[in-house]
Amino acid sequence: WLQLPNPDVAEIISRSGYAWAAVDLEHGSFTRAQLPDMFRALERWGTAPFARVAAAGMTGIKAALDSGARGLIFPMIADRGQLDAAIDWSLYPGGREHPGGKRGVGFSRANVFGIDLAGQVDGDTGLGHDIVLVAQIEQATALPNLDAIFSHPRLDACMVGPYDLSASMGLTGRFDHPEFLAALALVEQKARQHGVAMGYHVVQPDEALLRSKIEAGYAFLAYGIDSVFLQVGSRCPACAGGATTANDS
């Protein structure tokens, strides 16, 4: 999970062996002009570039896809209508799986400014049709609508945003609370029922938690955040509270 707008950081993450990494356009400080270099840095070592768009609307989706994102994570999906609109904006018209796509056709970095346009747009095997599409479940209001959300035929995975979901329940960060665990169990149940890959963001680097999610059947996992890796790795063991001032150096 990337929040720092620096391609060097993205390349280090890619070289670490991750299958995919998401550039966070909701809480990160990225501009559209920075996205192509971020995505190139991830691709350098075979990491698929994803974007968590700031909102599941046309403008952000178009910017991410035209810059070369291979996957999209839609935040705050609470009902089927939101997901329908987001997926429509993500796919070109005429695909067999989803003929109702509304993605605009234009020259961009994603198709090498027209050189590979036909390969993206034509047929159901073009790059424009195999974008990985993920719905984030982050609000308690989404829970009654999971059947409708997860039954979308083009949805590939869901991802629980644990901080937002717990906050929407008045339980911010209380991941061991029975009500949060019940909500999580419901998401898992409905995802399995509809054949949607289960996802979760393990925000704090915790190998035991990561392994427990894998053992529970989660197949779309985000591990850590670049800024959190920096915090954890840079703590001063000799400093009270891990903090120093200029006078301490």
Side-chain angles (χ1 to χ4, degrees):
W1 209 259
L2 302 173
Q3 289 188 317
L4 305 177
N6 189 307
D8 292 336
V9 172
E11 189 166 3
I12 291 169
I13 293 295
S14 176
R15 189 64 178 86
S16 299
Y18 292 94
W20 62 273
V23 174
D24 184 1
L25 304 180
E26 183 179 9
H27 297 298
S29 52
F30 299 92
T31 66
R32 178 170 179 169
Q34 292 170 317
L35 294 184
D37 283 341
M38 293 294 298
F39 293 160
R40 289 186 191 102
L42 291 173
E43 291 168 339
R44 172 69 179 82
W45 298 103
T47 298
F50 279 57
R52 195 264 291 273
V53 293
M58 180 189 71
T59 301
I61 289 171
K62 181 183 294 187
L65 291 175
D66 283 354
S67 298
R70 304 298 310 125
L72 294 175
I73 301 171
F74 306 124
M76 298 290 184
I77 296 298
D79 59 53
R80 177 60 181 264
Q82 287 177 297
L83 183 63
D84 284 344
I87 290 180
D88 284 351
W89 290 123
S90 302
L91 299 173
Y92 290 118
R96 184 172 54 208
E97 278 189 311
H98 189 79
K102 297 179 181 178
R103 180 176 173 183
V105 180
F107 290 7
S108 66
R109 187 251 161 179
N111 55 56
V112 198
F113 300 95
I115 296 174
D116 293 338
L117 181 63
Q120 276 222 350
V121 177
D122 293 345
D124 289 300
T125 59
L127 293 176
H129 295 284
D130 66 0
I131 300 296
V132 178
L133 301 175
V134 183
Q136 279 198 289
I137 305 302
E138 304 181 279
Q139 297 169 288
T141 54
L143 299 177
N145 303 320
L146 291 177
D147 281 316
I149 294 169
F150 290 168
S151 64
H152 195 297
R154 189 52 184 81
L155 182 66
D156 296 302
C158 65
M159 172 176 276
V160 172
Y163 280 98
D164 278 319
L165 181 57
S166 62
S168 76
M169 302 171 70
L171 301 168
T172 306
R174 297 173 65 185
F175 304 140
D176 58 351
H177 193 280
E179 291 182 22
F180 178 80
L181 293 174
L184 189 59
L186 179 63
V187 176
E188 294 172 356
Q189 174 198 339
K190 295 298 184 180
R192 290 191 185 99
Q193 181 180 331
H194 291 279
V196 173
M198 295 187 300
Y200 192 89
H201 190 176
V202 179
V203 175
Q204 297 293 332
D206 182 334
E207 187 174 342
L209 177 58
L210 178 67
R211 292 190 182 281
S212 74
K213 292 298 181 186
I214 294 171
E215 291 169 1
Y218 283 77
F220 187 76
L221 287 159
Y223 186 66
I225 305 176
D226 54 1
S227 58
V228 174
F229 288 141
L230 181 60
Q231 292 172 37
V232 172
S234 63
R235 285 182 184 139
C236 173
C239 304
T244 62
T245 68
N247 292 331
D248 294 326
S249 58

